[in-house]
């Protein structure tokens, strides 16, 4: 999905956000079954399939907990952050909100999120069947601000029928960047459609590309870029630029028109492959209504380019007056078998091994593809991606902007590499002060 629209806006909001917490909350004083009704606001982003099952999960939770009333607040990615940003500035965040790795550290550093450690220590949120390594994905400065909801990994979602029409083999489990380029061009030449939807978003697949070359996007401290050789940036964008010139890769004016998953090039059969995360396979399957497959992105000589990633988190707003009840819902969402039978791993493979094992035998073949893919990635590497550093929101906006300028041929990849390094390191250099203070 397109994820660039409100990055700069949110960055501005978070910069001015007040560190303290308001005393506002949501509580209904009416009585039901001799219990006080507690109202929880629950916010998430996603596509229609997620909205549908979330309403069923809410209904199930309210049935099992008659004293709880949940007010849902949901939107697509862009609109979600547009709505959340002013709530953050006014300390009026939802009691439970879906959170992303990109945004977790800025929200946490502005004291807008509750540390969930106590709720785990007191077993309000059960983690007996969850790896500590997975939980680290939501940890910042030894405090757990985001509870992982699932695991996913970078992937290429493929329509084999289109490759068959183009009389080309298509992706395979271990293919190279050169093979990817040749495949995309062949599809375009045979069918006069795009060979790929583009390596989108750049903040996901450029770091992935760097890992296939043995480098990292950020350094360990988050105070500068992690790669030293700008030729890596140049090579990555030269590949895309060559595909654009040959008609196998869409320019930004095509992809920026994509607002919902139904508009995606793969769904409309204008491309046989889309770059995405593994858990988004379900959304593409639902929208396209035809068989699809999952493959790893192209690789270099290294296998550690693929890492599992917390697909998203649940966080509790610091301003919430119902934090324990919010934590109980997170426990239910994570550990209740009946709830997860509704969710079916749409947010990624469940972080609870017990839930994942209970679900797997009853999954259909399409759902098992995602579980199998993520488990294969975990066999390659046990590492789990950690929250992005302070300033990552602005850096992502810079990378997206520079990417578009390169693909519109306004600047060269070499010029883009130099500009991106200058701007990214300028933003990240401010973290040197943060690191010294902590």
């Amino acid at each position: 999905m397109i994820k660039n629209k409100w990055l700069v806006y949110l960055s501005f909001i978070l910069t001015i956000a007040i560190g303290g917490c308001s005393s506002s909350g949501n509580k209904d004083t009416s009585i039901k079954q001799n219990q006080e009704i507690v109202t929880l606001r629950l916010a998430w982003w996603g596509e229609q399939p997620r909205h549908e099952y979330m309403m069923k999960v809410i209904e199930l939770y309210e049935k099992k907990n008659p004293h709880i009333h949940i007010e849902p607040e949901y939107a697509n990615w862009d609109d979600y952050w547009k709505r959340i940003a002013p709530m953050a500035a006014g300390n009026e965040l939802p009691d439970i909100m879906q959170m992303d790795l990109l945004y977790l550290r800025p929200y946490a550093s502005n004291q807008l999120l509750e540390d969930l450690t106590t709720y785990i220590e007191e077993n309000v949120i059960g983690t007996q069947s969850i790896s500590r390594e997975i939980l680290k994905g939501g940890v910042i400065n030894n405090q757990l601000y985001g509870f992982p909801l699932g695991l996913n990994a970078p992937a290429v979602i493929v329509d084999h029928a289109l490759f068959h029409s183009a009389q080309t083999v298509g992706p395979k489990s271990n293919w190279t960047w050169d093979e990817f380029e040749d495949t995309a061009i062949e599809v375009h030449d045979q069918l006069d459609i795009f060979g790929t939807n583009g390596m989108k978003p750049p903040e996901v697949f450029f770091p992935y590309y760097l890992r296939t070359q043995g480098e990292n996007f950020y350094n360990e401290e988050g105070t500068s870029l992690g790669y030293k050789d700008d030729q890596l940036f140049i090579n990555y964008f030269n590949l895309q630029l060559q595909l654009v010139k040959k008609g196998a890769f869409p320019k930004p004016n095509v992809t920026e028109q994509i607002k919902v998953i139904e508009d995606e090039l793969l769904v409309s059969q204008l491309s046989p492959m889309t770059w995405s995360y593994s858990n988004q396979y379900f959304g593409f399957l639902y929208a396209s209504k035809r068989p699809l497959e999952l493959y790893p992105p192209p690789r270099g000589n290294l296998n550690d380019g693929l890492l599992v990633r917390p697909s998203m988190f649940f966080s509790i707003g610091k301003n919430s007056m119902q934090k324990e009840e919010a934590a109980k819902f997170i426990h239910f969402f994570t550990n209740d078998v009946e709830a997860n039978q509704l969710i079916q791993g749409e947010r990624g493979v469940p972080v609870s091994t017990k839930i994942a094992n209970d679900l797997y035998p009853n999954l259909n073949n399409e759902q098992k593809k995602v579980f199998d893919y993520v488990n294969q990635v975990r066999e390659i590497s046990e590492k789990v991606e950690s929250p992005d550093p302070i300033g990552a929101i602005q850096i992502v906006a810079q990378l997206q902007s520079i990417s578009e300028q390169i693909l519109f041929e306004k600047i060269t990849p070499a010029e883009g590499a130099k500009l991106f390094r200058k701007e990214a390191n300028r933003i990240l250099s401010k973290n040197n002060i943060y690191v010294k203070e902590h």
Side-chain angles (χ1 to χ4, degrees), residues 378-397:
R378 292 189 72 182
E379 289 175 3
I380 293 172
S381 175
E382 294 182 355
K383 295 179 182 178
V384 177
E385 288 193 51
S386 56
D388 293 305
I390 296 291
I393 294 171
Q394 299 98 306
I395 289 170
V396 167

Side-chain angles (χ1 to χ4, degrees), residues 249-304:
F249 195 105
K251 286 189 175 182
N253 63 323
V254 174
T255 54
E256 70 186 8
Q257 300 301 316
I258 299 171
K259 305 301 180 184
V260 294
I261 197 167
E262 288 77 11
D263 298 335
E264 291 282 352
L265 300 179
L266 178 72
V267 174
S268 56
Q269 295 185 295
L270 293 176
S271 172
M273 52 183 165
T274 190
W275 296 58
S276 188
Y277 272 115
S278 55
N279 69 302
Q280 293 177 314
Y281 173 83
F282 296 117
F284 279 98
L285 194 67
Y286 178 91
S288 64
K289 296 179 173 59
R290 61 184 186 275
L292 300 173
E293 300 293 337
L294 271 171
Y295 286 90
R299 305 186 196 182
N301 296 320
L302 300 173
N303 283 329
D304 61 357

